[in-house]
Amino acid sequence: MVNTMFGWQLLVCILSLFTHTVVSPYYLFIVVFKPVSPFSASYKMIYHKIYILSQVIWILTHLLCLVYLMYYSHKTTEEMETLLLQFKYNRADVSVLGLYSLNLPVITSMGSSVAMYLFILIQFENS
């Protein structure tokens, strides 16, 4: 039921969170390792530090949203399983249009994917 009602919304939300989880650390990496002249105006140094802080806040916000979505999808799956114990062949599962299940192990696989894409983007930046 949840799959058919919220499949597209979950897909867009997961894709958006995944994209932001890759892009925000990439921009943070670019800004942190970009040389800032110590002789530049003091307002540029302040804006540089504020930008770094804002990127860190965005990264934490995206990760928190991702964990929040996965956790409550996992809890919904558990509650549906306890509710539907009477159906032997009906497995309760929250998935994104049947592509993959939204459970806690998805966080680790998404983390490895984010790390892989960050390494690729950083390699292209250095070349």
Side-chain angles (χ1 to χ4, degrees), residues 28-45:
L28 179 65
F29 176 80
I30 297 283
V31 169
V32 167
F33 291 108
K34 183 178 180 181
V36 176
S37 172
F39 301 110
S40 63
S42 64
Y43 69 89
K44 286 185 182 178
M45 297 289 281

Side-chain angles (χ1 to χ4, degrees), residues 5-24:
M5 292 180 66
F6 300 108
W8 286 103
Q9 291 90 341
L10 287 171
L11 178 66
V12 170
C13 188
I14 292 294
L15 288 176
S16 173
L17 284 172
F18 182 75
T19 303
H20 284 96
T21 307
V22 170
V23 170
S24 294

Side-chain angles (χ1 to χ4, degrees), residues 14 18 21-22 63 66-67 70 99-118:
I14 292 294
F18 182 75
T21 307
V22 170
L63 290 176
L66 185 65
V67 168
M70 295 299 166
L99 296 175
Y100 54 90
S101 297
L102 291 180
N103 293 330
L104 292 178
V106 175
I107 293 175
T108 56
S109 63
M110 285 186 73
S112 64
S113 298
V114 166
M116 179 184 65
Y117 284 118
L118 275 174

